[in-house]
Amino acid sequence: MSDHVDGPRSIGDPAADITDLFAFTSPESPARTVLTMDVFPSAGEDAMFSNIIDYAIAVRRVSVAGVGNAAKFQPEADEIRFSCRFETLKRDTAGKAIQYGVCKLPDGRELSLTVNDEKGTSTPEGDVRVFAGLRSDPFYLAWDIAILKKLPNLLQHTNVLCIVVELDTHRVLDPAKGSLFGAIAETVPPQKRGLLGPAISRIDWIGRPEQTNMRLNNPAMSEIDDLRDLWNQQAPFAISKALQPLFLQRLKDSIATWDMLDGRADWTPEAIAATANVFLDDFLLFDVAKPINDESHLEIEKSTLSGRPYQTGGGRSIDANSIDILLSWLVNNDREFLQGGATGATKLGMKVFPYFATPNTELQTVTESVELAAAPDDVWSLIGQFGGAWHPLTARINLTGAGIGQLRTMLTLDGQQTVERLEAIDDEKRFLRYTHIAGMAVSHYTGTLEVKPKGSGSVVDWRAQFLAANATDRAMKVKVSTLFKTGLESLKPRFGAAK
């Protein structure tokens, strides 16, 4: 998923897990360029930036050093770096939790940040403006890419933490010296030697989308070693020469696999080798002297590999369909555009700063029911007890307190523990309502269980509303739905299914 959850190490530290990198011309002003890194896949509403991680976007001027099968993009040694660091949470004057940070600019100036302040912070000179905060995830994936099966957007309603750097193109990048650039983003932990060995040089980094999850760890390839953590430890713009043959061979094998996924060969061995060489030098290419739009993503690479001058500014805009653009190239060499099961992210980007859409806050709903042959009171006598262990996935239940406000701590057979609180119960109406306290990746969770008469029997309705937190809506809906269905289906042998 672009760069979401791209290896064991980043999965274990979501605040340092980079999801995406963007480079585009500001919709507000053609004289300004926007660089953005997103982190924290499926961020919950309370997600915050790590206080021990440097979040950095680095840009280097690039020249075209070869075309056709000798295509090569050569970065310069000088680097234009924006590095943000954040503090622990504090309380504002109203007692609300708030996070502050500092963004260090390439010339050493520092900008103070208040997380989630939509106005962002600008330098006194107005040449740089920075925003940091929670936004709707602009990435969308609508494929089971291993088999090219179309799906709905797998990241619908998810959020990310976003760092937006908007800059005066001429004052900061000085395109008169060359207008083609390569950008990377990285998350760097403290460089102190640990008790168990040397310091980790970085947790995650990204150049072009999908280097790790689709090219190095191609899901269509079976029985391959996961190279993603090894790749993420490489220095951007300077991949280890000793490891280059390993990565290069994987890239070749991966492109060859993608080529045959539709059963038709569209790539020559020479073209595969040349493209793999370009991907090995992994940075997001953008040219500030040419137009960057939703269709220009990867055009610089494609044109240069084809031996012709590129026509656009490449880069990656917020609404660029990066997955379908990439799949169409890898699978059939752009013979046919492959459109997935969605045509856009949950929300489109905005035309005004900070450009990325506001966070998703819509409660998601799961509803399941079962019709039974037994009378409603008989069914309620079993499932209407808040502490009842009638659910087949329950290993143990502990109750704390009594009546409204009672807590139940449930341990399931797979070792998961959840804590829920009783908010309302009506035995006459055979209804109860509860909220989730801890244990699942959700917030604002409210569940209801109700038994109503239907014909000569009854119907049981189980319903929940929630926001997913640190998990996708799709994953949480499947988890909650499975829990409900399993419980409701277990009632049929006890009370008989309605006929």
Side-chain angles (χ1 to χ4, degrees):
M1 297 186 295
S2 192
D3 207 65
H4 302 59
V5 292
D6 69 321
R9 180 169 285 152
S10 62
I11 290 172
D13 191 355
D17 186 351
I18 301 172
T19 64
D20 284 291
L21 172 66
F22 299 86
F24 55 93
T25 304
S26 164
E28 286 189 309
S29 170
R32 298 177 76 86
T33 297
V34 182
L35 303 171
T36 300
M37 67 181 296
D38 294 344
V39 299
F40 211 131
S42 303
E45 60 180 345
D46 297 325
M48 61 180 181
F49 294 98
S50 170
N51 68 310
I52 61 169
I53 295 292
D54 285 330
Y55 297 87
I57 299 175
V59 176
R60 297 191 186 189
R61 208 176 310 275
V62 172
S63 60
V64 178
V67 298
N69 287 343
K72 175 74 174 177
F73 299 95
Q74 184 63 47
E76 294 183 359
D78 293 340
E79 195 165 84
I80 302 168
R81 175 173 285 262
F82 303 85
S83 184
C84 296
R85 190 75 178 264
F86 297 89
E87 302 174 5
T88 55
L89 289 179
K90 291 181 172 58
R91 296 283 180 183
D92 63 13
T93 55
K96 181 181 178 182
I98 194 167
Q99 190 174 32
Y100 300 102
V102 173
C103 184
K104 187 174 183 180
L105 306 184
D107 58 6
R109 289 177 296 166
E110 293 187 344
L111 270 177
S112 296
L113 303 173
T114 300
V115 173
N116 292 321
D117 180 357
E118 290 207 354
K119 300 186 299 295
T121 306
S122 297
T123 59
E125 299 80 7
D127 57 334
V128 179
R129 178 164 54 164
V130 181
F131 163 86
L134 188 70
R135 309 307 279 180
S136 177
D137 193 341
F139 179 72
Y140 60 103
L141 173 65
W143 293 94
D144 180 339
I145 53 178
I147 57 175
L148 283 187
K149 178 183 177 181
K150 295 183 180 183
L151 298 171
N153 178 19
L154 300 178
L155 280 78
Q156 191 75 6
H157 298 118
T158 56
N159 296 317
V160 290
L161 291 177
C162 185
I163 298 174
V164 178
V165 179
E166 182 197 88
L167 52 92
D168 183 303
T169 305
H170 287 277
R171 293 172 66 181
V172 179
L173 297 181
D174 193 7
K177 296 179 179 178
S179 60
L180 181 61
F181 295 88
I184 65 95
E186 62 180 346
T187 48
V188 181
Q191 297 304 296
K192 297 180 180 179
R193 181 180 178 85
L195 296 176
L196 300 179
I200 299 170
S201 55
R202 65 189 45 78
I203 295 177
D204 197 9
W205 70 278
I206 179 177
R208 301 179 184 91
E210 297 298 351
Q211 178 76 338
T212 46
N213 285 335
M214 281 181 60
R215 292 192 287 275
L216 291 175
N217 202 47
N218 188 337
M221 300 171 67
S222 60
E223 299 181 359
I224 58 173
D225 294 329
D226 189 341
L227 301 180
R228 293 178 297 175
D229 270 359
L230 185 61
W231 175 264
N232 286 333
Q233 289 303 294
Q234 302 306 300
F237 300 107
I239 306 303
S240 164
K241 292 187 180 300
L243 293 175
Q244 284 185 18
L246 172 67
F247 294 128
L248 187 59
Q249 188 60 53
R250 174 61 60 83
L251 290 168
K252 292 178 183 177
D253 293 342
S254 181
I255 297 171
T257 300
W258 284 119
D259 181 30
M260 293 306 299
L261 207 58
D262 62 353
R264 176 173 170 177
D266 292 285
W267 289 77
T268 66
E270 295 78 14
I272 289 175
T275 304
N277 274 314
V278 167
F279 279 132
L280 183 65
D281 293 325
D282 188 31
F283 33 80
L284 183 64
L285 286 168
F286 65 101
D287 191 322
V288 296
K290 295 181 180 294
I292 298 175
N293 53 48
D294 293 346
E295 287 74 44
S296 62
H297 179 54
L298 297 177
E299 188 271 333
I300 295 176
E301 291 90 336
K302 293 178 185 180
S303 294
T304 305
L305 282 160
S306 297
R308 61 179 185 269
Y310 60 87
Q311 301 300 310
T312 75
R316 184 184 178 195
S317 63
I318 297 175
D319 298 326
N321 186 355
S322 59
I323 284 290
D324 294 346
I325 289 173
L326 179 62
L327 275 179
S328 300
W329 187 24
L330 294 179
V331 173
N332 61 55
N333 207 0
D334 288 333
R335 168 174 47 83
E336 174 188 2
F337 187 74
L338 298 177
Q339 176 66 62
T343 57
T346 310
K347 295 181 179 180
L348 293 175
M350 305 189 303
K351 300 302 182 184
V352 296
F353 186 88
Y355 308 115
F356 289 76
T358 55
N360 297 294
T361 58
E362 302 87 352
L363 290 175
Q364 303 303 303
T365 301
V366 171
T367 302
E368 301 293 347
S369 64
V370 65
E371 294 184 15
L372 302 171
D377 287 340
D378 292 340
V379 177
W380 184 251
S381 67
L382 174 69
I383 69 173
Q385 304 301 311
F386 187 60
W390 60 271
H391 198 292
L393 297 182
T394 301
R396 185 175 67 249
I397 290 182
N398 293 322
L399 297 176
T400 304
I404 304 303
Q406 184 180 49
L407 298 179
R408 67 179 179 192
T409 301
M410 296 187 298
L411 181 68
T412 57
L413 295 176
D414 61 358
Q416 299 298 306
Q417 181 173 284
T418 60
V419 181
E420 295 167 334
R421 180 171 57 212
L422 180 64
E423 302 293 348
I425 188 166
D426 190 324
D427 289 326
E428 184 177 340
K429 294 182 179 179
R430 296 177 295 274
F431 169 89
L432 66 80
R433 184 176 72 250
Y434 63 96
T435 53
H436 174 265
I437 304 301
M440 291 197 298
V442 294
S443 62
H444 302 288
Y445 181 108
T446 299
T448 60
L449 186 64
E450 185 175 12
V451 183
K452 297 177 290 188
K454 186 169 185 180
S456 60
S458 58
V459 58
V460 182
D461 290 325
W462 201 351
R463 175 185 176 91
Q465 286 189 310
F466 56 85
L467 285 178
N470 308 334
T472 64
D473 278 351
R474 180 184 177 90
M476 288 313 303
K477 282 184 174 180
V478 169
K479 183 173 183 175
V480 173
S481 178
T482 300
L483 176 71
F484 287 6
K485 286 180 179 178
T486 302
L488 295 176
E489 287 296 312
S490 74
L491 299 176
K492 289 181 178 179
R494 302 187 188 193
F495 298 106
K499 296 180 180 179

